[in-house]
């Protein structure tokens, strides 16, 4: 055998051995999982949703006079009930709150047809959500009944508003919705036409599949998947966003960079001006934001895949806000987030999450220390947001039935080599194709997860388009979930 043939054979043997070694699966993650023993919130209202859709169908056949009369009557009842509650301390479980929500739901199908009534409908929603936020200051937000109530009222009525907005075919609805003019003395700037102050929290939702998982994989499924802290430099009035990204850890972005990163929606939240800590120091939010800004610039802070808000050596997006505010005497997320469904736990654990008593972005809305200043939605992508949520709800139902996220094991050696190169990039301060803290196996599982979501979403979009063509209106959320469940059965 010639020397060249010997070298070639050795090279092939080494390559085969290396490939086989790199095929060895990861060792099991034996780290302790912090998991709550809670019950996820369930609406159990399928009959109600179908009845509301039937009411909408009937309203489309009604005369303008009939619609206006019905809307006027329901508005009068709603306003009377809210006025009666204004100067009272209301318990979270007060039946009047549930009554208001039910009447609001009944009003929604009529307004969806008679869009001229939409401004009053939205105005009532904003007044009511301010009222609920104020009342929740007296509620024990860690009590399950109180927590269920505030979630049902705020999230449920938002969904009713959005179902109405999505029936506007010819006229775009305004992106910005102003809610509470909470006072702040810190430097300010504008994002998407909304004035924000240093220390404000921007709770947002991106368009990536993992964004849907973060927002829906929660005992209280929400609309938001990310938190950014805004800092406005005192002398130059230049704004910065401090965020934790899966791809690169904690980073400081300009407003231009933040806006460029696609947002389906975001909410501006601000510490209440009447909090004792803010009354004692009106610049506390500025100090907290500046400290986090400087901390982010001091050196690399990796992303916390474990979602452990007790350990600040690595930070996930919610921690960026809670860490710096805690250092300034304010504990955000007065009620911690819980993820109890076993299937959701299993899927998130596949991506490195170990703490299921944590701080989820969507739950920040229910913290009574914070006011909702404004909410912004992208009119062009609101329906996409609903489809993404419906698909994720269906997939997570499959997870709870025992479905696991697999991966192509034959790709593992190549992806491990890529991961090694990414680790070298990380050493030199550059983000890699595979995020720091994510293994090759997790990257492949993420690829599978994305494909599952995309495939199901494609089918749902086709079914939703067919539904609109046949019925003449946009498919409501419960129909999207129905489509998603049927479409995910083969995934």
């Amino acid at each position: 055998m010639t020397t060249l043939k010997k070298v070639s054979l050795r090279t092939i043997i080494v390559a085969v051995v290396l490939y086989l070694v790199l095929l060895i699966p990861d060792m099991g993650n034996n780290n302790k999982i912090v998991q709550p023993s809670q019950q996820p919130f369930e609406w159990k209202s399928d009959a109600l949703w179908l009845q509301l859709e039937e009411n909408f169908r009937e309203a489309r056949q009604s005369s303008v006079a009939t619609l206006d009369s019905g809307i006027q009557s329901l508005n009068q009842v709603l306003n009377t009930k809210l006025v009666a509650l204004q100067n009272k301390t209301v318990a979270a479980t007060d039946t009047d709150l549930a009554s208001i929500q039910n009447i609001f739901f009944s009003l929604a199908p009529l307004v969806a047809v008679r869009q001229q009534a939409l401004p009053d409908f939205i105005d009532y929603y904003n007044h009511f959500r301010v009222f609920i936020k104020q009342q929740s200051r007296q509620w024990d937000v860690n009590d399950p009944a109180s927590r269920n109530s505030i979630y049902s009222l705020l999230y449920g009525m938002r969904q009713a508003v959005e179902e109405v907005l999505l029936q506007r075919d010819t006229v775009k609805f305004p992106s910005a919705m102003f809610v509470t003019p909470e006072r702040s003395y810190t430097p300010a700037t504008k994002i998407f036409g909304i004035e924000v102050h240093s220390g404000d929290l921007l709770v947002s939702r991106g368009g990536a599949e993992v964004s849907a998982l973060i927002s829906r994989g929660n005992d209280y499924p929400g609309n938001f998947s990310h938190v950014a802290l805004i800092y406005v430099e005192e002398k130059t009035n230049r704004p910065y966003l401090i965020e934790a990204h899966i791809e690169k850890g904690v980073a400081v972005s300009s407003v231009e960079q933040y806006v460029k990163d696609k947002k389906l929606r975001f909410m501006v939240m601000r510490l209440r001006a009447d909090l004792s800590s803010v009354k004692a120091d009106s610049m506390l939010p500025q100090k907290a934001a500046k400290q986090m800004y400087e901390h982010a610039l001091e050196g690399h802070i990796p992303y916390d895949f474990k979602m452990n808000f007790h350990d600040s050596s690595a930070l996930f997006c919610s921690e960026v806000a809670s860490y710096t505010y805690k250092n300034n005497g304010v504990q955000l997320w007065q009620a911690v987030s819980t993820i109890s469904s076993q299937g959701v736990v299993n899927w998130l654990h596949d991506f490195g999450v170990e703490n299921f008593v944590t701080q989820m972005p969507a739950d920040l809305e229910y913290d009574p220390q914070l006011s909702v200043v404004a909410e912004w939605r992208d009119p062009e992508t609101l329906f996409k947001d609903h489809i993404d949520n419906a698909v994720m709800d269906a997939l997570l139902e499959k997870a709870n039935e025992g479905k696991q996220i697999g991966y192509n094991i034959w790709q593992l050696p190549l992806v491990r080599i890529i991961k090694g190169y990414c680790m070298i990039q990380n050493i030199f301060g550059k983000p890699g194709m595979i995020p720091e803290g994510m293994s090759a196996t997790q990257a492949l599982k993420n690829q599978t997860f994305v494909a599952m979501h995309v495939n199901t979403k494609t089918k749902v979009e086709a079914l939703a388009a067919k539904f609109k063509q046949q019925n003449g209106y946009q498919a409501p959320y419960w129909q999207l979930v129905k489509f998603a469940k049927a479409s995910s059965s083969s995934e």
Side-chain angles (χ1 to χ4, degrees), residues 43 101 104-105 151-161:
W43 283 99
Q101 182 182 56
F104 190 80
F105 283 168
Y151 170 77
S152 171
L153 293 167
L154 294 182
Y155 175 81
M157 291 174 74
R158 172 193 288 114
Q159 291 301 96
V161 168

Side-chain angles (χ1 to χ4, degrees), residues 244 302-309 311 314-316 319 355:
Y303 186 84
D304 180 10
F305 281 91
K306 297 179 181 180
M307 295 180 70
N308 180 6
F309 66 93
D311 181 1
L315 301 175
F316 63 100
E319 277 184 284
N355 295 269

Side-chain angles (χ1 to χ4, degrees), residues 22-39:
L22 292 175
L23 270 178
I24 298 173
D26 293 342
M27 296 293 291
N29 187 347
N30 295 318
N31 292 340
K32 183 179 179 182
I33 295 178
V34 180
Q35 185 176 353
S37 55
Q38 306 280 342
Q39 287 296 320

Side-chain angles (χ1 to χ4, degrees), residues 294-481:
E294 292 175 343
H295 183 47
L297 295 180
E298 286 171 356
H300 176 60
I301 305 172
Y303 186 84
D304 180 10
F305 281 91
K306 297 179 181 180
M307 295 180 70
N308 180 6
F309 66 93
H310 300 294
D311 181 1
S312 59
S313 60
L315 301 175
F316 63 100
C317 66
S318 298
E319 277 184 284
V320 169
S322 64
Y323 168 75
T324 190
Y325 268 115
K326 184 177 181 180
N327 288 341
N328 284 272
V330 177
Q331 179 63 65
L332 297 179
W333 278 271
Q334 288 199 335
V336 293
S337 305
T338 54
I339 305 169
S340 305
S341 299
Q342 190 59 54
V344 181
V345 168
N346 292 343
W347 278 21
L348 287 173
H349 190 51
D350 280 342
F351 299 128
V353 177
E354 294 177 4
N355 295 269
F356 299 93
V357 178
T358 185
Q359 296 172 335
M360 298 293 275
D363 286 344
L364 192 63
E365 179 181 3
Y366 314 120
D367 190 323
Q369 301 169 109
L370 296 162
S371 290
V372 177
V373 175
E375 191 168 354
W376 182 93
R377 300 171 180 85
D378 184 346
E380 300 291 340
T381 59
L382 181 59
F383 193 58
K384 165 183 162 45
D385 172 276
H386 281 220
I387 289 179
D388 285 350
N389 285 353
V391 169
M392 189 52 58
D393 285 353
L395 290 179
L396 291 180
E397 185 173 291
K398 293 293 182 184
N400 290 326
E401 292 171 357
K403 183 174 180 60
Q404 298 181 344
I405 302 177
Y407 65 96
N408 187 335
I409 192 171
W410 305 111
Q411 293 180 357
L412 186 57
L414 174 60
V415 177
R416 278 177 165 162
I417 292 171
I418 294 172
K419 176 61 182 177
Y421 176 70
C422 292
M423 292 172 68
I424 296 173
Q425 288 181 299
N426 296 154
I427 292 172
F428 290 96
K430 296 180 180 180
M433 182 186 303
I434 299 175
E436 179 185 16
M438 179 181 282
S439 70
T441 300
Q442 289 168 342
L444 283 170
K445 287 190 173 186
N446 181 64
Q447 187 179 66
T448 300
F449 164 75
V450 169
M452 289 167 55
H453 191 280
V454 170
N455 292 340
T456 303
K457 178 180 175 179
T458 300
K459 297 173 186 176
V460 172
E461 288 174 334
L463 290 170
K466 183 178 179 180
F467 180 95
K468 185 173 183 180
Q469 184 180 31
Q470 292 176 340
N471 296 278
Y473 61 90
Q474 201 76 271
Y477 190 74
W478 47 91
Q479 294 288 0
L480 296 178
V481 172

Side-chain angles (χ1 to χ4, degrees), residues 90-107:
V90 182
T93 54
D94 193 303
T95 56
D96 281 334
L97 298 180
S99 176
I100 286 176
Q101 182 182 56
N102 288 333
I103 297 169
F104 190 80
F105 283 168
S106 297
L107 179 59

Side-chain angles (χ1 to χ4, degrees), residues 31-291:
N31 292 340
K32 183 179 179 182
I33 295 178
V34 180
Q35 185 176 353
S37 55
Q38 306 280 342
Q39 287 296 320
F41 179 89
E42 292 184 82
W43 283 99
K44 297 180 180 179
S45 301
D46 289 352
L48 173 61
W49 311 142
L50 293 175
Q51 182 58 56
L52 291 176
E53 186 176 359
E54 182 58 31
N55 293 349
F56 173 66
R57 288 175 180 266
E58 293 175 0
R60 296 178 75 212
Q61 306 303 318
S62 300
S63 66
V64 170
T66 301
L67 287 173
D68 286 346
S69 176
I71 290 170
Q72 183 180 6
S73 177
L74 291 174
N75 274 332
Q76 188 173 16
V77 175
L78 284 172
N79 288 322
T80 300
K81 283 183 172 292
L82 186 55
V83 168
L85 295 176
Q86 287 290 352
N87 297 317
K88 295 169 57 178
T89 299
V90 182
T93 54
D94 193 303
T95 56
D96 281 334
L97 298 180
S99 176
I100 286 176
Q101 182 182 56
N102 288 333
I103 297 169
F104 190 80
F105 283 168
S106 297
L107 179 59
L110 307 184
V111 177
V113 176
R114 188 69 170 142
Q115 290 280 334
Q116 289 83 346
L118 181 58
D120 288 339
F121 185 70
I122 291 176
D123 187 57
Y124 186 90
Y125 164 60
N126 284 330
H127 277 91
F128 186 71
R129 74 198 293 193
V130 170
F131 172 74
I132 292 300
K133 288 290 289 181
Q134 290 172 339
Q135 290 292 327
S136 70
R137 300 171 190 179
Q138 280 71 244
W139 298 349
D140 178 4
V141 292
N142 285 290
D143 172 64
S146 296
R147 196 161 182 184
N148 286 348
S149 177
I150 190 172
Y151 170 77
S152 171
L153 293 167
L154 294 182
Y155 175 81
M157 291 174 74
R158 172 193 288 114
Q159 291 301 96
V161 168
E162 292 185 358
E163 289 297 339
V164 173
L165 290 175
L166 285 171
Q167 297 308 326
R168 291 171 68 109
D169 279 334
T170 57
V171 182
K172 288 184 180 179
F173 57 84
S175 301
M177 182 184 292
F178 297 92
V179 184
T180 309
E182 189 67 52
R183 186 175 68 252
S184 177
Y185 295 102
T186 66
T189 188
K190 284 194 173 183
I191 298 179
F192 292 117
I194 299 173
E195 183 174 271
V196 297
H197 284 258
S198 197
D200 283 358
L201 303 172
L202 306 186
V203 189
S204 64
R205 169 70 179 271
E209 291 75 17
V210 71
S211 296
L213 175 59
I214 293 170
S215 64
R216 306 305 292 176
N218 187 350
D219 284 351
Y220 295 89
N223 293 116
F224 304 98
S225 59
H226 186 65
V227 180
L229 174 66
I230 189 163
Y231 165 63
V232 182
E233 210 279 330
E234 303 96 321
K235 295 181 180 179
T236 64
N237 211 46
R238 186 172 181 180
Y240 300 93
L241 282 301
I242 308 108
E243 311 171 83
H245 297 281
I246 289 175
E247 299 82 5
K248 55 187 176 182
V250 177
V252 175
S253 307
S254 66
V255 169
E256 292 75 21
Q257 289 170 319
Y258 180 82
V259 170
K260 187 177 180 181
D261 185 17
K262 184 64 176 177
K263 301 288 186 297
L264 302 184
R265 62 167 78 227
F266 74 84
M267 178 184 288
V268 181
M269 306 202 71
R270 183 174 301 155
L271 277 185
R272 288 170 23 216
D274 64 351
L275 283 180
S276 57
S277 53
V278 180
K279 288 173 70 175
D281 182 2
S282 62
M283 297 304 288
L284 184 152
Q286 171 74 348
K287 292 176 181 177
K290 184 176 183 178
Q291 288 172 16

